[in-house]
Amino acid sequence: MSDQKSTEFTLIEQAMGNPPSWLTHWGITVVALFFCVIFGIAAMIKYPDVLKSEATTYIDHPPIEIFTQTNGRIHTLLVQNKDTIRHNTPILVLESTADWLAVLHLDTLLQTNRSIFDTTFMSKELGDLSSAYHEAALLFKQLEDARQNDITNQRISTLQKEIEQNNILNNSLVAQKEVFAQELKNIKKDLDRSKKLLQDGVISLQEFEQKENTYLQNERTFHQMESSIITNKIKIQQLEIQIPEYKKQQHDFFFRLEVDFQQKKEVLKTAVEHWKKKYILYAPSFGIVSMKHKLQEGNQISPDIPVLTILPNTAQKQAFLKALMDANGIGKVAVGQKATVSFNNYPSAEYGILTAEVVEIAPIPTDNQYEVLLKLPQSWVTNYGVSIPKQQKMNAHIAIQTKEFTLLERIFSGLLDVLKN
């Protein structure tokens, strides 16, 4: 029995082969650990996809070229090259038939609604503005004279006093009428008694007629008093009606004068603004004066050539990069992603790089390219500590860092892509 079991065990060993030696066993273990370490490192290493493109700098409020509206000679130059000027500051004045200081003084009066009637304008030449000014000044003088000489309020005051006096008179007449009415009643009673005495033959007809005439005279006087009271009331009403009529006449008169003056004033304002645009150049924004050619009084200038340029204070302005990127791979780009920037004029090996941020992606492509806007830092200091001056339209290379993937994800994504496709 034992021999049979030994024979079976020998057959099984022969079928399975000889067991691996200790060297083979440890070799397999080391190889397995090696691959585990490799896969672990691959799972830890991450790096983003990088999309590269060309870009151009753009700074808010780019340089502004100043042009004149007409040919002319410089009469007064108010700025010099590299001067810092504020918005709406006069730059220069062209020759004209008007005294530009007088025109600016007139413009100040018009804008502040002060009196435009100034005797200084009579001695200073306003050139083409003289006609419009004198028309407006004449109406203004008429309006002022009319206000000073207006007697409407005096008339109204006189009417009010007359109404008051008539009311007093009317009250007196009413009081007299009441007294006279009582007297008339007494006279009527006396007449009635005389009539009875006449019937009794006590008095003569002549005496009765005298008393009757007295009564009739007093009755006529009573009716005259009533008529005077009514006439006085009508007069008071007529006087009261005249007050609003005087006020309306006053309003209509001054309204017409005021409207005419305001129309002439607007015409003058328009003429002054047109003159200023034609003969005075103003700074459209805050900045620094840049003259390509030296300017001086007496120089001839034309509207075809810029007189000078206003450079904005770029240190305080936000700077951007505009890049056109191919549609292929644009889906990886998202707002908030970072990008490295190196300027063509400042090689990265010597000056270093800047970091920008994607702030906008155009929703619609142009010629199969998308415009991407990147925000640059306020201070252009590179990673080498070098400060680069801000300039418009500087060419640069950008590298946008998209989503990060591990090395392991990239290996298996590549294998999956091969298997699926």
Side-chain angles (χ1 to χ4, degrees):
M1 186 71 180
S2 61
D3 292 339
Q4 184 179 358
K5 288 182 179 180
S6 176
T7 303
E8 289 177 355
F9 181 75
T10 303
L11 290 173
I12 291 171
E13 285 184 344
Q14 290 176 355
M16 293 181 62
N18 296 323
S21 65
W22 68 268
L23 181 62
T24 303
H25 177 77
W26 283 105
I28 292 172
T29 303
V30 170
V31 170
L33 288 174
F34 173 77
F35 278 106
C36 287
V37 171
I38 292 297
F39 283 125
I41 294 173
M44 295 175 60
I45 296 175
K46 287 185 177 182
Y47 62 92
D49 286 338
V50 176
L51 296 179
K52 296 182 178 181
S53 179
E54 301 290 329
T56 305
T57 59
Y58 168 78
I59 303 175
D60 285 347
H61 302 288
I64 303 173
E65 293 182 333
I66 309 300
F67 293 84
T68 181
Q69 290 190 355
T70 183
N71 291 310
R73 293 183 181 277
I74 299 176
H75 177 271
T76 304
L77 185 62
L78 302 172
V79 297
Q80 298 297 327
N81 192 31
K82 297 184 179 181
D83 281 354
T84 299
I85 57 175
R86 297 185 178 275
H87 171 66
N88 212 32
T89 301
I91 296 173
L92 60 83
V93 183
L94 297 180
E95 291 182 352
S96 70
T97 57
D99 184 333
W100 69 277
L101 292 175
V103 174
L104 291 184
H105 178 49
L106 175 60
D107 183 53
T108 301
L109 296 180
L110 290 170
Q111 297 301 330
T112 55
N113 292 322
R114 291 156 58 191
S115 171
I116 64 169
F117 188 76
D118 194 330
T119 55
T120 59
F121 293 134
M122 301 303 167
S123 59
K124 292 187 176 181
E125 185 61 59
L126 290 175
D128 298 337
L129 302 175
S130 296
S131 176
Y133 169 74
H134 288 304
E135 289 179 4
L138 179 61
L139 274 174
F140 177 79
K141 192 69 171 64
Q142 290 178 355
L143 187 60
E144 289 296 309
D145 291 344
R147 285 171 177 163
Q148 292 177 1
N149 300 322
D150 180 35
I151 60 172
T152 303
N153 293 334
Q154 296 175 2
R155 287 180 175 179
I156 292 174
S157 178
T158 302
L159 286 175
Q160 290 172 340
K161 290 179 180 179
E162 190 173 352
I163 290 170
E164 183 180 357
Q165 292 172 355
N166 276 276
N167 280 322
I168 294 173
L169 176 61
N170 207 49
N171 292 334
S172 176
L173 288 173
V174 169
Q176 291 179 23
K177 174 189 170 185
E178 292 175 354
V179 173
F180 198 80
Q182 188 61 41
E183 291 178 354
L184 189 61
K185 285 181 181 180
N186 294 332
I187 294 172
K188 181 67 170 61
K189 288 178 182 179
D190 185 55
L191 179 64
D192 291 340
R193 286 193 297 270
S194 297
K195 185 176 181 180
K196 187 175 182 182
L197 292 173
L198 177 65
Q199 291 174 353
D200 295 339
V202 177
I203 61 173
S204 64
L205 180 60
Q206 184 178 3
E207 289 176 339
F208 175 76
E209 288 177 347
Q210 287 177 353
K211 289 183 178 293
E212 187 178 27
N213 288 336
T214 300
Y215 172 77
L216 292 174
Q217 289 175 359
N218 283 277
E219 187 178 29
R220 183 175 65 249
T221 302
F222 179 79
H223 289 305
Q224 287 176 349
M225 292 179 69
E226 285 185 330
S227 178
S228 297
I229 292 172
I230 293 172
T231 301
N232 202 44
K233 286 182 178 180
I234 292 173
K235 185 177 181 181
I236 291 172
Q237 291 175 353
Q238 291 175 343
L239 292 173
E240 289 175 342
I241 291 174
Q242 290 182 34
I243 292 177
E245 288 180 349
Y246 281 151
K247 289 182 178 180
K248 185 177 184 305
Q249 290 174 2
Q250 182 190 42
H251 172 269
D252 292 345
F253 175 74
F254 283 103
F255 180 76
R256 286 193 300 269
L257 274 181
E258 187 67 33
V259 168
D260 291 342
F261 169 67
Q262 290 299 330
Q263 288 176 346
K264 295 296 183 182
K265 185 177 178 180
E266 288 302 317
V267 170
L268 180 59
K269 272 187 178 181
T270 303
V272 169
E273 287 299 319
H274 178 72
W275 187 94
K276 286 167 58 182
K277 289 180 180 179
K278 186 176 181 180
Y279 294 106
I280 301 180
L281 292 186
Y282 288 90
S285 66
F286 175 85
I288 300 172
V289 176
S290 175
M291 299 181 182
K292 293 182 179 179
H293 307 285
K294 182 175 176 58
L295 293 178
Q296 58 185 9
E297 295 176 358
N299 284 160
Q300 182 74 31
I301 58 177
S302 66
D304 302 328
I305 302 174
V307 179
L308 49 82
T309 303
I310 303 297
L311 302 177
N313 187 357
T314 55
Q316 300 177 358
K317 303 300 179 182
Q318 182 60 56
F320 299 90
L321 281 167
K322 288 184 178 180
L324 290 176
M325 304 192 69
D326 292 334
N328 184 23
I330 194 67
K332 297 180 180 180
V333 181
V335 173
Q337 291 176 345
K338 302 298 182 181
T340 58
V341 181
S342 60
F343 295 104
N344 295 358
N345 295 345
Y346 300 90
S348 59
E350 182 179 353
Y351 293 91
I353 60 174
L354 294 177
T355 301
E357 179 183 350
V358 177
V359 293
E360 186 178 338
I361 304 170
I364 301 174
T366 302
D367 296 331
N368 205 33
Q369 289 184 318
Y370 286 83
E371 183 179 84
V372 178
L373 188 66
L374 300 96
K375 182 179 178 181
L376 285 165
Q378 190 67 30
S379 177
W380 289 10
V381 178
T382 68
N383 59 335
Y384 286 4
V386 178
S387 179
I388 297 177
K390 291 184 180 180
Q391 297 179 29
Q392 289 278 3
K393 298 182 179 180
M394 289 177 62
N395 294 324
H397 294 282
I398 64 169
I400 300 176
Q401 302 171 7
T402 62
K403 184 178 179 181
E404 291 185 344
F405 294 94
T406 65
L407 185 58
L408 192 61
E409 287 175 332
R410 294 178 185 277
I411 293 172
F412 280 104
S413 65
L415 290 175
L416 289 174
D417 184 60
V418 170
L419 292 174
K420 289 182 179 180
N421 300 323

